[in-house]
């Protein structure tokens, strides 16, 4: 991937840095993709900076986090770039579904094996290989990176950190779908994208990956106690039990009164970016 394939769509000044949006043709997803980037003021001075890769949740694009989380102020203070990809392939030729939790906006960060999804829905490889190569080549990054995400994106962040542990210095999540093999969202997504082979499902399930012995970078998870998806979809208590059993370096916090929204994320994003900065200093 070369910079010739990368188009700057927009750029606005933000806390002495720049909030940018890029477009490129993805060879992995077989479509045109957009992603957002926040570059702190240090990067505009040509200093190479560490980055946090953010994965968004169901129905989101690359713009939800950048417009709602309030992360840029803290990222500017800490000298961190924010890399914010979309949640699925896009375009008229891309297969879709009428439901909000499957198809466009709901790629679940897996490499689909089932038709008609397999041609475009290769989100795991897109994020961990193609996109990271693109931003490393095009932006003033120093090679140090952490990963974070929300809900479906929290699931993606945990899975990528566990499977690509040498790449990420730390991992955090807000209300992640922690055990998708055992919840309705996961059954639907994995059954549709991956078929009936539950062994393949386990490769994209954080709880199952921890149980299989995968190493995990230092971990921070925040879960809202008033989250309406907590009981049925998120399996927070299962993640707590698994983290404790396998002695991970982790903080799992139940935040009473908070829901599943970006108000919750905005309330604790400063904690998460400071957490990542601790491990990105090396």
């Amino acid at each position: 991937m070369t910079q010739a394939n990368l188009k700057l769509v927009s750029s606005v000044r933000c806390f002495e840095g720049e909030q940018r949006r890029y477009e490129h043709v993805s060879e992995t997803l077989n479509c045109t993709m957009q992603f957002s980037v926040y570059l702190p003021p240090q990067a505009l001075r040509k200093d190479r900076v560490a980055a946090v890769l953010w994965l968004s949740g169901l129905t989101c694009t690359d713009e939800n986090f950048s417009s709602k989380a309030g992360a840029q102020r803290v990222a500017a203070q800490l000298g961190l770039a924010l890399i914010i990809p979309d949640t699925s392939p896009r375009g008229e030729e891309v297969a879709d579904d009428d439901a909000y939790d499957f198809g466009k906006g709901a790629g679940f960060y897996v490499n689909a094996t089932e038709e008609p999804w397999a041609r475009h829905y290769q989100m795991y490889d897109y994020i961990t290989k193609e996109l990271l190569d693109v931003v490393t080549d095009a932006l003033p990054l120093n090679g140090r990176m952490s990963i974070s995400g929300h809900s479906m994106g929290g699931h993606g962040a945990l899975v990528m950190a566990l499977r690509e542990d040498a790449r990420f210095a730390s991992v955090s999540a807000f209300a992640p779908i922690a055990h998708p093999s055992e919840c309705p969202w996961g059954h639907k997504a994995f059954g549709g994208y991956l078929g009936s082979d539950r062994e393949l499902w386990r490769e994209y399930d954080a709880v199952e990956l921890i149980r299989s012995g995968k190493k995990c970078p230092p971990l921070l998870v925040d879960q809202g106690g008033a989250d309406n998806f907590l009981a049925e979809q998120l399996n927070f208590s299962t993640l707590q039990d698994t983290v404790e059993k396998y002695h991970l370096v982790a903080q799992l916090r139940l935040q009473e009164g908070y829901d599943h929204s970006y108000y919750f994320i905005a309330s604790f994003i400063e904690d998460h970016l400071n957490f990542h900065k601790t491990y990105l200093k090396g």
Side-chain angles (χ1 to χ4, degrees):
M1 181 63 63
T2 67
Q3 292 189 42
N5 184 36
L6 193 62
K7 176 184 177 182
L8 180 64
V9 176
S10 64
S11 179
V12 294
R13 195 75 165 170
C14 184
F15 293 102
E16 300 304 316
E18 289 184 5
Q19 182 66 48
R20 298 178 178 179
R21 200 177 197 208
Y22 289 97
E23 179 179 281
H24 74 118
V25 176
S26 168
E27 297 174 0
T28 305
L29 302 180
N30 294 296
C31 64
T32 298
M33 293 294 287
Q34 292 187 325
F35 64 93
S36 293
V37 171
Y38 177 69
L39 289 179
Q42 296 87 338
L44 301 187
R45 296 195 296 264
K46 307 304 181 183
D47 294 338
R48 293 194 172 272
V49 298
V52 175
L53 174 64
W54 172 269
L55 305 184
S56 295
L58 289 166
T59 75
C60 289
T61 70
D62 60 293
E63 293 188 295
N64 292 78
F65 179 77
S66 63
S67 64
K68 294 181 178 181
Q72 292 93 339
R73 175 185 61 81
V74 183
Q77 292 172 350
L78 298 177
L80 294 175
L82 303 173
I83 312 300
I84 313 162
D86 203 345
T87 54
S88 76
R90 302 285 178 174
E92 293 183 2
E93 74 281 7
V94 174
D96 197 11
D97 188 271
D98 291 336
Y100 78 96
D101 55 358
F102 196 74
K104 291 179 185 177
F108 267 82
Y109 304 103
V110 303
N111 289 336
T113 57
E114 299 295 299
E115 297 300 337
W117 315 102
R119 171 169 168 74
H120 296 289
Y121 286 75
Q122 302 293 313
M123 287 298 294
Y124 186 90
D125 279 355
Y126 170 68
I127 301 293
T128 61
K129 296 178 181 178
E130 185 177 15
L131 180 65
L132 292 190
D133 285 348
V134 168
V135 297
T136 299
D137 184 50
L139 301 175
L141 305 181
N142 66 12
R144 301 281 293 170
M145 185 172 290
S146 293
I147 188 169
S148 185
H150 170 231
S151 192
M152 178 186 73
H155 139 74
L158 293 174
V159 168
M160 290 180 189
L162 287 159
R163 290 178 55 173
E164 315 281 336
D165 65 286
R167 182 182 290 271
F168 300 110
S170 53
V171 54
S172 74
F174 292 84
I177 306 171
H179 194 14
S181 297
E182 299 299 336
C183 77
W185 275 340
H187 285 176
K188 181 175 183 177
F190 286 3
Y193 294 135
L194 304 174
S196 60
D197 183 359
R198 292 182 70 92
E199 287 298 317
L200 184 55
W201 292 17
R202 291 187 178 94
E203 295 181 16
Y204 300 101
D205 186 310
V207 166
E208 296 297 340
L209 289 169
I210 295 168
R211 289 172 176 171
S212 74
K214 290 287 187 182
K215 295 179 181 179
C216 185
L219 169 66
L220 171 63
V221 175
D222 275 317
Q223 171 62 59
D227 189 325
N228 59 319
F229 299 114
L230 177 56
E232 184 178 27
Q233 301 283 10
L234 303 179
N235 285 300
F236 180 67
S237 60
T238 303
L239 180 63
Q240 285 180 307
D241 293 343
T242 306
V243 164
E244 182 177 353
K245 179 178 179 180
Y246 289 88
H247 307 291
L248 301 190
V249 178
Q251 302 174 61
L252 274 65
R253 311 187 303 192
L254 186 65
Q255 305 289 2
E256 293 296 344
Y258 286 90
D259 65 4
H260 198 74
S261 72
Y262 267 87
Y263 295 110
F264 168 49
I265 297 171
S267 298
F268 297 101
I269 191 63
E270 184 167 3
D271 285 0
H272 283 240
L273 293 182
N274 276 303
F275 168 79
H276 291 305
K277 180 66 174 181
T278 298
Y279 295 99
L280 290 167
K281 289 178 179 177

